[in-house]
């Protein structure tokens, strides 16, 4: 290779390596801020700030959804299989919100440990299958495998 | 040095334009055929999803465009690097041709994702989400390359500036790809897996793979159509181009 071209190649490689290095450093500096939401285990550990708008996400615990019969008030428990957070919400839940499915909530964590949500989003998992297949495998697997699939 | 002959020939706008004129209709035909067939298959013949019902079908547009827009960025950056190192005009032209198509594909992936997000998540867009934000950055990077390459009086200066942006932006591609695994995100992880069983049913996966292949062909056809324009723009003072035009109309 011609020396001039070799030099230009080195410059190109250095640009890419330098940019990657910068990205890694920025990523390390921001680390937690790049997460969309706090997991219940981090809320339980006291890492989530109180009285400030944050997001908490996890799996909706089975049989934990309690709806008020008179109002739109609803409460449910989010889990990451190590800790739980009780969430209260007033409003209409998204269609795909379900027990044993993922949800991401935006709101304020109270000093009583209850998360008062202003917005509830359903988090879809990566499983795609026809209804018949879902019916056929139902009960043969533990609900959605291991922790972390929310 | 005979092995390098293809590389030098590829660097000749004249030789390339002759080839591209012949390839374009075939690639466009094959791309439209495969992508069209996959869309009909996915929209009409695949069973609905057990949770999402029919709304999951947007996967047959969203995923192919998203996949190709990431691969296209690498292609653009490599073309930019070849242009920088070998000062090869055709490589600069290829970079300029990929940018608008990649930007359009990224925009389509973003828009179809938002349309799917509303019924599935309950929101069109969520700020701070790593996957969504990094994909938006990819769109801005494409726009940056597009804006820069014609921002200079000298065509070669524009190509060089755009190639630098393209190269620096390559760090974003693995970030987009791994964002759902590295950070908590509303966007689900990949369903098509390379090291273990895919978590999308085979009936749904087959048309998706066909749509991805079709989307690549469609991308190639659109880039080549752009490349022909770029060759004409870049070589407009050459004698051979006039002869070429005369031969084609004769």
């Amino acid at each position: 290779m011609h020396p001039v071209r070799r030099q230009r190649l080195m410059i190109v490689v250095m640009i890419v390596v330098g940019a990657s290095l910068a990205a890694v450093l920025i990523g390390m500096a921001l680390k937690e801020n790049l997460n969309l939401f706090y997991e219940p285990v981090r809320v339980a550990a006291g890492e989530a700030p109180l009285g400030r708008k944050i997001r908490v996400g996890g799996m909706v615990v089975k049989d934990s959804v309690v709806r008020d019969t008179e109002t739109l008030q609803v409460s449910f428990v989010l889990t990451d299989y190590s800790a739980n957070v009780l969430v209260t919400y007033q409003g209409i839940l998204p269609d795909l919100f379900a027990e044993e499915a993922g949800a991401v909530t935006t709101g304020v964590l109270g000093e009583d440990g209850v998360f008062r949500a202003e917005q509830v989003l359903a988090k879809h998992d990566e499983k795609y299958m026809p209804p018949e297949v879902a019916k056929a495998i139902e009960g043969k697997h533990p609900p959605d495998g291991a922790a972390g699939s929310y | 040095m005979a092995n390098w002959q293809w590389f030098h020939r590829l660097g000749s706008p004249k030789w390339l334009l002759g080839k591209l004129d012949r390839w374009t209709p075939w690639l466009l035909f094959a791309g439209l055929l495969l992508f069209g067939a996959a869309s009909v298959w996915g929209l009409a013949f695949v069973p609905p999803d057990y949770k999402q019902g029919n709304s999951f079908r947007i996967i047959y547009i969203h995923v192919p465009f998203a996949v190709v827009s990431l691969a296209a960025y690498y292609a653009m950056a490599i073309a930019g690097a070849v242009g920088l190192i070998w000062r090869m005009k055709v490589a600069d032209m290829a970079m300029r041709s990929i940018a608008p198509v990649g930007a359009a594909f990224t925009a389509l992936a973003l828009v179809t994702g938002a349309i799917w997000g509303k019924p599935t998540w309950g929101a069109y867009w969520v700020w701070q989400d790593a996957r969504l934000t990094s994909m938006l950055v990819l769109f801005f990077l494409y726009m940056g390359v597009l804006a820069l390459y014609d921002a200079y009086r000298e065509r070669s200066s524009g190509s060089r500036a755009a190639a630098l942006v393209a190269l620096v932006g390559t760090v974003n591609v693995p970030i987009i790809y791994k964002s759902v695994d590295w950070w908590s995100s509303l966007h689900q992880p990949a369903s098509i897996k390379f090291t273990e069983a895919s978590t999308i049913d085979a009936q749904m996966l087959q048309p998706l793979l066909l749509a991805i292949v079709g989307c690549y062909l469609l991308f190639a056809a659109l880039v080549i159509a752009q490349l022909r324009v770029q060759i004409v723009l870049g070589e407009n003072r050459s004698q051979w181009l006039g002869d070429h035009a005369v031969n084609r109309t004769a």
Side-chain angles (χ1 to χ4, degrees):
Chain A
M1 200 187 255
H2 195 279
V4 175
R5 286 177 196 150
R6 192 193 302 270
Q7 199 184 359
R8 289 194 204 125
L9 178 68
M10 287 314 293
I11 293 171
V12 165
V13 169
M14 268 157 60
I15 288 169
V16 173
V17 170
S20 310
L21 211 66
V24 168
L25 289 175
I26 293 170
M28 272 160 59
L30 294 175
K31 214 165 157 192
E32 297 307 341
N33 290 324
L34 289 172
N35 285 315
L36 181 67
F37 52 82
Y38 288 93
E39 277 107 4
V41 68
R42 295 184 54 213
V43 175
E47 287 176 41
L50 302 177
R52 224 180 68 198
K53 199 186 272 185
I54 55 166
R55 289 198 180 96
V56 174
M59 291 295 262
V60 180
V61 174
K62 197 176 184 210
D63 298 326
S64 75
V65 180
V66 181
R67 285 169 210 268
D68 193 295
T69 47
E70 303 286 308
T71 65
L72 286 172
Q73 192 71 33
V74 59
S75 76
F76 52 90
V77 177
L78 285 179
T79 185
D80 56 4
Y81 305 105
S82 340
N84 294 342
V85 173
L86 179 66
V87 180
T88 62
Y89 174 65
Q90 186 154 19
I92 297 162
L93 294 164
D95 289 351
L96 266 78
F97 179 91
E99 294 179 346
E100 298 188 296
V104 176
T105 59
T106 313
V108 175
L109 185 64
E111 281 181 28
D112 50 0
V114 177
F115 190 71
R116 286 169 191 84
E118 296 163 10
Q119 186 192 36
V120 175
L121 299 175
K123 178 163 162 45
H124 186 256
D125 61 25
E126 71 273 33
K127 294 182 186 65
Y128 286 78
M129 53 188 149
E132 308 87 71
V133 178
K135 206 178 251 178
I137 64 166
E138 202 178 327
K140 288 181 189 167
H141 285 282
D144 283 354
S149 70
Y150 54 85
Chain B
M1 283 287 126
N3 313 358
W4 284 90
Q5 212 183 345
W6 64 271
F7 192 67
H8 291 299
R9 233 189 300 166
L10 212 58
S12 151
K14 185 182 171 187
W15 180 86
L16 193 63
L17 190 60
K19 285 281 173 215
L20 295 184
D21 286 347
R22 248 171 294 156
W23 292 346
T24 311
W26 290 105
L27 271 174
L28 194 62
F29 175 73
L32 285 176
L33 185 74
L34 289 193
F35 195 71
S39 302
V40 173
W41 185 0
L43 289 179
F45 295 102
V46 166
D49 182 65
Y50 76 120
K51 263 189 192 164
Q52 305 173 57
N54 284 319
S55 71
F56 98 93
R57 296 180 199 276
I58 204 163
I59 198 174
Y60 297 111
I61 297 172
H62 175 72
V63 170
F65 281 118
V67 166
V68 175
S69 66
L70 292 190
Y73 195 89
Y74 274 137
M76 181 178 75
I78 290 169
V82 171
L84 277 180
I85 297 164
W86 282 277
R87 294 282 190 267
M88 196 170 161
K89 273 191 285 178
V90 168
D92 286 335
M93 291 167 184
M95 178 192 69
R96 287 163 178 257
S97 309
I98 294 170
V101 185
F105 277 35
T106 311
L108 269 169
L110 285 167
V111 169
T112 51
I115 293 170
W116 175 83
K118 187 64 186 173
T120 312
W121 299 334
Y124 286 110
W125 186 264
V126 181
W127 284 108
Q128 289 169 34
D129 186 285
R131 170 59 70 81
L132 274 57
T133 312
S134 56
M135 199 65 184
L136 188 64
V137 169
L138 183 78
F139 178 69
F140 291 148
L141 283 167
Y142 274 122
M143 296 313 271
V145 171
L146 269 172
L148 266 180
Y149 67 47
D150 278 336
Y152 292 80
R153 193 178 292 268
E154 279 292 316
R155 205 179 145 82
S156 57
S157 312
S159 297
R160 224 169 299 160
L164 285 178
V165 170
L167 279 169
V168 170
T170 50
V171 290
N172 190 38
V173 178
I175 292 177
I176 298 173
Y177 183 64
K178 295 302 274 181
S179 55
V180 287
D181 302 323
W182 288 343
W183 304 293
S184 66
S185 162
L186 194 58
H187 194 287
Q188 70 266 36
S191 296
I192 304 174
K193 297 185 170 78
F194 297 106
T195 50
E196 49 188 304
S198 290
T199 52
I200 174 166
D201 193 82
Q203 289 179 69
M204 297 162 156
L205 179 62
Q206 286 153 8
L208 181 58
L209 295 178
L210 189 69
I212 292 174
V213 174
C215 200
Y216 268 111
L217 292 174
L218 211 56
F219 170 77
L222 292 171
V223 167
I224 284 176
Q226 263 293 306
L227 187 52
R228 291 164 71 201
V229 175
Q230 290 292 339
I231 290 176
V232 171
L233 284 176
E235 297 288 309
N236 60 357
R237 286 188 207 132
S238 308
Q239 174 65 40
W240 70 266
L241 190 66
D243 299 340
H244 181 85
V246 170
N247 287 341
R248 267 182 67 88
T249 46

